[in-house]
Amino acid sequence: MRATVLLLVCLGLAALPVLEAAKKVKKVEKKVAVDELESLLENIEEKDTKAEKKNAEKNPCEDHMCGWGKECIVDKKGEPQCECIAKCPELDGDPMDKVCGNNNQTFTSLCDLYRERCLCKKKDSGCSKASNAKVHLEYLGECKQLNECTDELMSQFPDRMSDWLFQVMKELKSRRELHKLEWEELLDEAETDDEKKHVYPVIWKFCDLDVKPHDKEVSHHELIPITAPVIPMESCIKPFLEKCDINGNGAISLKEWGKCLGLKEGEIQERC
């Protein structure tokens, strides 16, 4: 019996170093696991910091505006520069993508027209005709023979245009695209008042066109959104609007716009 007890004690004493070793192994494993976790977290934080830094580095071209037919390029100094667009987007061949220039030349797209203008202004070898340095958009679609704008059609144009603008306002309201509650309220008034039906759409369109820059005048460039889609159907619009520029300064003031479209002095009010 005493021999058995002695044997067990001996075995227990012998096992102590093994247990201690096992504990040490576990401590080491635990420390390694903690170190690996800390290292992983540090890597994640480092990547997040780099990502935040990268996002913080704003693209110089982000807020740099270039004209039609141009694109922003960051030069070697990191500065934004406007260059003629290298290549216009490929289109699906829709005839409605074509545009007619003021030189009566059909271009594949609006981008192609202004890219050509840009190249020619810079006297680049890619320019097809030097005179295209002054080309600009005349109307949407392929160039064609337009209907004649007779004196009778010209005299009727102010009424046709104001009626058309009224219908445009109604359509935009139905799609909730008039943007300002004031215009919706004025349109409601116009629908029950024939006089206001002529006045409000005319003032609204002036404000709608006077955007870049908003200087209380409408330039030739700002008229393009209204003339380009309409000229193929209404040949009087361009010569009519050219006559609206009474002082010949290349832009139409609200007063000139209103008088041209038949508004009385008291009806021409600033609402932009």
Side-chain angles (χ1 to χ4, degrees):
M1 178 68 178
R2 288 179 65 184
T4 303
V5 171
L6 184 61
L7 177 62
L8 290 173
V9 170
C10 291
L11 289 173
L13 290 173
L16 283 175
V18 177
L19 291 173
E20 289 298 322
K23 287 180 181 178
K24 288 182 180 180
V25 169
K26 285 183 179 180
K27 284 183 180 180
V28 171
E29 289 177 345
K30 186 175 181 181
K31 188 176 184 306
V32 170
V34 170
D35 289 344
E36 287 180 350
L37 180 60
E38 288 178 350
S39 177
L40 179 63
L41 290 173
E42 285 176 3
N43 288 336
I44 292 173
E45 287 176 2
E46 186 179 350
K47 288 180 181 178
D48 287 343
T49 301
K50 288 181 179 179
E52 287 173 4
K53 187 177 179 181
K54 187 176 181 181
N55 291 334
E57 293 174 358
K58 193 174 181 180
N59 186 332
C61 282
E62 188 173 326
D63 296 322
H64 192 77
M65 299 297 293
C66 294
W68 290 346
K70 300 177 182 179
E71 62 183 342
C72 183
I73 303 295
V74 180
D75 63 17
K76 293 179 180 178
K77 295 180 180 180
E79 297 295 324
Q81 299 292 335
C82 289
E83 299 288 347
C84 301
I85 190 168
K87 185 179 180 182
C88 290
E90 292 186 10
L91 303 175
D92 56 9
D94 188 339
M96 293 307 295
D97 289 329
K98 295 182 179 180
V99 296
C100 183
N102 63 322
N103 58 354
N104 205 38
Q105 178 182 345
T106 299
F107 290 84
T108 306
S109 67
L110 188 63
C111 176
D112 284 298
L113 185 153
Y114 282 100
R115 178 178 182 272
E116 169 75 0
R117 174 188 170 104
C118 180
L119 292 172
C120 295
K121 285 183 77 172
K122 291 193 172 188
K123 297 181 180 180
D124 189 278
S125 59
C127 169
S128 64
K129 191 189 301 182
S131 59
N132 282 344
K134 295 183 179 180
V135 71
H136 61 75
L137 175 66
E138 186 74 359
Y139 55 85
L140 303 181
E142 201 165 354
C143 295
K144 65 178 184 178
Q145 181 65 44
L146 300 175
N147 295 328
E148 181 185 359
C149 177
T150 63
D151 291 341
E152 182 180 5
L153 288 173
M154 180 68 89
S155 65
Q156 296 169 350
F157 186 79
D159 288 333
R160 290 203 308 278
M161 184 165 175
S162 60
D163 288 343
W164 171 61
L165 292 176
F166 177 69
Q167 296 303 323
V168 171
M169 282 190 80
K170 285 179 65 177
E171 176 63 24
L172 290 176
K173 181 187 175 184
S174 69
R175 300 203 307 248
R176 297 186 178 182
E177 294 177 10
L178 265 181
H179 303 306
K180 282 188 177 182
L181 179 61
E182 179 189 4
W183 289 121
E184 292 188 9
E185 292 172 348
L186 292 175
L187 181 59
D188 290 338
E189 287 183 38
E191 288 181 319
T192 57
D193 187 320
D194 288 340
E195 192 170 326
K196 291 176 180 177
K197 183 178 178 180
H198 178 78
V199 176
Y200 291 159
V202 171
I203 303 296
W204 162 75
K205 194 58 191 177
F206 180 87
C207 295
D208 185 54
L209 293 170
D210 179 27
V211 287
K212 292 181 181 179
H214 178 53
D215 55 1
K216 299 183 180 180
E217 286 188 326
V218 175
S219 64
H220 165 78
H221 185 80
E222 290 174 313
L223 284 173
I224 289 176
I226 191 174
T227 58
V230 176
I231 286 177
M233 302 172 287
E234 177 59 85
S235 57
C236 286
I237 190 168
K238 185 180 179 182
F240 176 81
L241 292 176
E242 286 174 347
K243 288 183 179 180
C244 292
D245 181 17
I246 299 170
N247 61 10
N249 69 341
I252 303 171
S253 66
L254 176 59
K255 189 173 182 179
E256 289 175 326
W257 177 268
K259 282 188 174 182
C260 198
L261 285 161
L263 302 192
K264 299 170 185 176
E265 190 73 33
E267 294 173 333
I268 304 172
Q269 297 180 11
E270 167 65 55
R271 293 185 180 273
C272 302

